[in-house]
Amino acid sequence: PGSPCEHRTADLPDGSCSVPGTGGLQAGEFDLAKAQRMAHFAGATYCSPDQITHWNCGPHCDGVPEVSDVTLISNTSQVLQGLVAFDKTLDAVVVAFRGTISKSITDWVHDMGVSRISPLTQYPDALVHHGFWDSWKAVEAEVVAAVGALLKKHPGVTVMVSGHSLGAAIATDAAMDMKLSHGWTTALVNFGSPRPGNQVYAEALGKEISFIWRLTHNDDLVPHSPPESFGFYHAAREIFFPAEDPTNLTYQVCDDSGEDPQCSDQCAGHWACTSVVDHLHYAGFELDSANCAPSLLV
């Protein structure tokens, strides 16, 4: 009683958000305040380039003071946008990616495709969604240059990677690729992510990334695409917010399978995973361009 978490697995005692395991989140606790801070970064990526560059984008920028060295990441031909910055509060380099804006969420899910490739020499059996990987590669050079410059100024800090929707899938591939290709310590905090690859890829993510918090919300439709039946799988650890009310921040720390049937997957059995509204609301915030007014603090 009184716990902010609702546990439905035998190895998680009520009254604690701790998750047993060997490292990262599995050896610690989910931190809602830290996740909310990362949600602000993910939300800020929906704002205009000028607002991002000057860190003057309204509630999302105001919500994360002590941010410096902001670099805009952009690929206009593929309608991709993100940012790299240093967060003094987290003592981390932050990388965040925007979700899709070129079409409706429902249309994007329907058009997502299921083609997979094997781009990781260290994990040849890991199959990754082709489109998501291509999106990461389209911005990789900009991201790596900006992150590398900040790591020279702040050696040894973690690279915290985040995104919402499509941006969450790009963030997943970015965190993995930067770890494998550059040896940087990466962590992943995602909101409403689609499945990024097969189960081998999901397990590899768990081995390589220092911790993964994959937030899901009630009947959000995006985390259920592409379907498991087409060979796609989520990485653990899912943090499930079951309330339809976006201001209700009760959450459940899910099991280590990546596809806990008692978390967001519970709506799949009765075909109820169809909510766009749930997809746009995470950790108490709306993640789209609606919150991109100029800052009231300037």
Side-chain angles (χ1 to χ4, degrees):
S3 171
C5 304
E6 178 183 2
H7 299 301
R8 301 183 183 177
T9 52
D11 60 341
L12 297 176
D14 192 20
S16 173
C17 294
S18 296
V19 182
T22 57
L25 172 62
Q26 290 77 15
E29 296 181 350
F30 172 65
D31 186 329
L32 178 59
K34 184 180 291 187
Q36 288 179 309
R37 193 170 181 89
M38 294 304 293
H40 279 309
F41 283 108
T45 64
Y46 284 95
C47 300
S48 72
D50 185 66
Q51 289 173 327
I52 293 172
T53 301
H54 294 94
W55 208 241
N56 181 30
C57 67
H60 288 308
C61 291
D62 296 345
V64 281
E66 297 194 301
V67 172
S68 63
D69 299 298
V70 180
T71 298
L72 175 73
I73 304 299
S74 179
N75 184 306
T76 54
S77 65
Q78 295 199 30
V79 201
L80 302 173
Q81 184 166 284
L83 64 88
V84 176
F86 182 73
D87 185 340
K88 183 179 178 181
T89 299
L90 294 176
D91 191 29
V93 174
V94 173
V95 181
F97 299 97
R98 183 180 66 189
T100 184
I101 62 168
S102 58
K103 58 177 68 176
S104 76
I105 297 296
T106 303
D107 287 345
W108 173 66
V109 168
H110 289 164
D111 296 342
M112 191 176 291
V114 294
S115 175
R116 302 179 301 176
I117 58 173
S118 177
L120 306 177
T121 56
Q122 298 92 332
Y123 295 95
D125 295 326
L127 301 178
V128 180
H129 186 281
H130 198 165
F132 301 157
W133 185 260
D134 283 352
S135 293
W136 156 238
K137 287 298 177 179
V139 295
E140 176 190 13
E142 284 184 82
V143 172
V144 167
V147 171
L150 286 178
L151 287 176
K152 287 182 180 179
K153 296 176 65 175
H154 308 279
V157 303
T158 296
V159 182
M160 299 277 292
V161 193
S162 187
H164 169 245
S165 195
L166 168 64
I170 300 172
T172 301
D173 291 343
M176 185 64 153
D177 201 15
M178 287 190 288
K179 171 60 166 60
L180 294 179
S181 298
H182 302 278
W184 297 335
T185 300
T186 59
L188 189 60
V189 183
N190 273 344
F191 307 91
S193 178
R195 294 184 175 99
N198 68 352
Q199 187 168 358
V200 175
Y201 186 49
E203 292 170 353
L205 289 165
K207 293 177 183 177
E208 298 291 346
I209 297 176
S210 62
F211 68 83
I212 299 171
W213 298 341
R214 183 176 62 81
L215 277 66
T216 57
H217 179 206
N218 194 33
D219 292 338
D220 179 356
L221 76 168
V222 172
H224 307 283
S225 297
E228 278 189 80
S229 58
F230 285 85
F232 289 85
Y233 208 85
H234 274 303
R237 183 78 64 161
E238 179 184 358
I239 312 296
F240 179 49
F241 290 71
E244 183 177 357
D245 178 359
T247 66
N248 184 337
L249 298 183
T250 300
Y251 61 86
Q252 175 181 340
V253 178
C254 307
D255 68 24
D256 62 0
S257 70
E259 296 285 354
D260 187 340
Q262 300 301 323
C263 288
S264 64
D265 275 356
Q266 64 185 281
C267 68
H270 45 91
W271 301 95
C273 314
T274 59
S275 178
V276 173
V277 173
D278 288 348
H279 181 63
L280 297 178
H281 292 85
Y282 270 90
F285 309 118
E286 184 174 352
L287 299 184
D288 59 17
S289 60
N291 284 327
C292 289
S295 173
L296 299 177
L297 301 182
V298 176

